[in-house]
C-alpha cells in the first residue's frame, strides 16, 4: 500500500479504518470497465488502489481534528490593527465534477485580545479545502470557523481560484478566475476596513498559475 504523506497529528485517531478502501477500489474498477477499458491491463491494474489512496488524501479534511489542529496556538495579545495572511495556496475538489479547483486564500482579521499562531491558518484552510466543495461554501466555512475561534472585531476571507471543470470541459474558460469573499464584523460594517484588506491583497498580486 502506498503511504499517505500526511501529518497524522491533525487527523482523527483511527481515521484510516473509517475509509472503505475496497468500496472505492470497486467503484473505480467499475468505471474503468464502463469506459470500455480493460482493468486487467498493466497500466490500469493498480489504478483502483492508487485512486482510492489518492482520494483518502484529497478528502482528508473530513477527518481532521480541529482541536488538535489548533493545539493551543491562541495567544492573548493586545493588538488591534489588521492581521493579514495572504496567498495561502490550496487544492480542493469541486463537488459537481470531482475535478480540482486550485488557488489562494487571503485571510485578515482585527483581533479582540486573541491572535492565532500564523502556521495554523493554512491548516484551517486545508481542513476545509480537502473535501468535496464549492468555492463559496469553503470561503464561508473558513470565515465562520475563524470568527467562532477568535471572536475578532472583524474578519475577512477572500478566495481566488481556477476550476479545472470550467477550463477543460464545457465552455472551456481557460483563464477564468473565480473570486469569492466572506466578511464579518468590522469588515462587513466598515467600508474603509474592507478596502484596506482588498487593497492589501491587490498590492503585489500576481496572476494565478496552475
Ligand atoms: Zn465543477
Amino acid at each position: 500500500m502506498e503511504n499517505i504523506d500526511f501529518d497524522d497529528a491533525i487527523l482523527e485517531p483511527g481515521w484510516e479504518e473509517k475509509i472503505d478502501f475496497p468500496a472505492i477500489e470497486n467503484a473505480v474498477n467499475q468505471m474503468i470497465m464502463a469506459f470500455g477499458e480493460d482493468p486487467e491491463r498493466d497500466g490500469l491494474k493498480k489504478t483502483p488502489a492508487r485512486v482510492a489512496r489518492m482520494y483518502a488524501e484529497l478528502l482528508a479534511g473530513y477527518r481532521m481534528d480541529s482541536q488538535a489542529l489548533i493545539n493551543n496556538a491562541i495567544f492573548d495579545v493586545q493588538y488591534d490593527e489588521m492581521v493579514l495572511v495572504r496567498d495561502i495556496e490550496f487544492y480542493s475538489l469541486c463537488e459537481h465534477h470531482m475535478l480540482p479547483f486550485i488557488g489562494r486564500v487571503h485571510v485578515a482579521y482585527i483581533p479582540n485580545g486573541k491572535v492565532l499562531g500564523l502556521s495554523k491558518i493554512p491548516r484551517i484552510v486545508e481542513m476545509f479545502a480537502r473535501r468535496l466543495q464549492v468555492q463559496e461554501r469553503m470561503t464561508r466555512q473558513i470565515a465562520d470557523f475563524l470568527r467562532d475561534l477568535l471572536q475578532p472585531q472583524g474578519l475577512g476571507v477572500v478566495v481566488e481560484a481556477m476550476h479545472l471543470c470550467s477550463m477543460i470541459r464545457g465552455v472551456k474558460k481557460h483563464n477564468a478566475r473565480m473570486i469569492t469573499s466572506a466578511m464579518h464584523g468590522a469588515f462587513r460594517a466598515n467600508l474603509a476596513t474592507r478596502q484596506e484588506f482588498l487593497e492589501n491583497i491587490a498590492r503585489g498580486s500576481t496572476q494565478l498559475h496552475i
Side-chain angles (χ1 to χ4, degrees), residues 93-101 133 163-166 169:
L93 277 185
C94 91
E95 66 186 23
H96 300 136
H97 305 94
M98 291 174 62
L99 281 172
F101 66 99
Q133 270 291 15
H163 290 247
L164 245 65
C165 59
S166 67
R169 51 163 292 287

Side-chain angles (χ1 to χ4, degrees), residues 4 6-15 56 60-65 68:
I4 294 179
F6 227 63
D7 184 352
D8 278 345
I10 58 171
L11 292 166
E12 292 166 358
W15 68 276
Y62 293 117
R63 295 178 174 82
M64 285 183 188
D65 177 343

Side-chain angles (χ1 to χ4, degrees), residues 34 50 60 73 78 111 137 146 155-156 191 200-201:
R50 273 192 297 258
Q78 290 314 313
R137 186 175 62 229
L146 285 166
L155 178 132
L191 179 65
N200 269 313
I201 296 171

Side-chain angles (χ1 to χ4, degrees), residues 104 135 160-163 175-179 205-208:
R104 296 184 196 135
Q135 185 178 330
E160 30 181 340
M162 312 273 268
H163 290 247
N175 284 311
R177 222 167 24 138
M178 179 159 148
I179 300 179
S205 105
T206 48
Q207 275 297 108
L208 276 181

Side-chain angles (χ1 to χ4, degrees), residues 2 5 9 12 22 40 56 60 80 127 132 150 164 184 186 198 206:
E2 287 172 61
D5 179 19
E12 292 166 358
E40 290 306 314
D80 58 5
M127 178 171 70
L132 295 178
L150 298 171
L164 245 65
H184 287 306
L198 297 175
T206 48

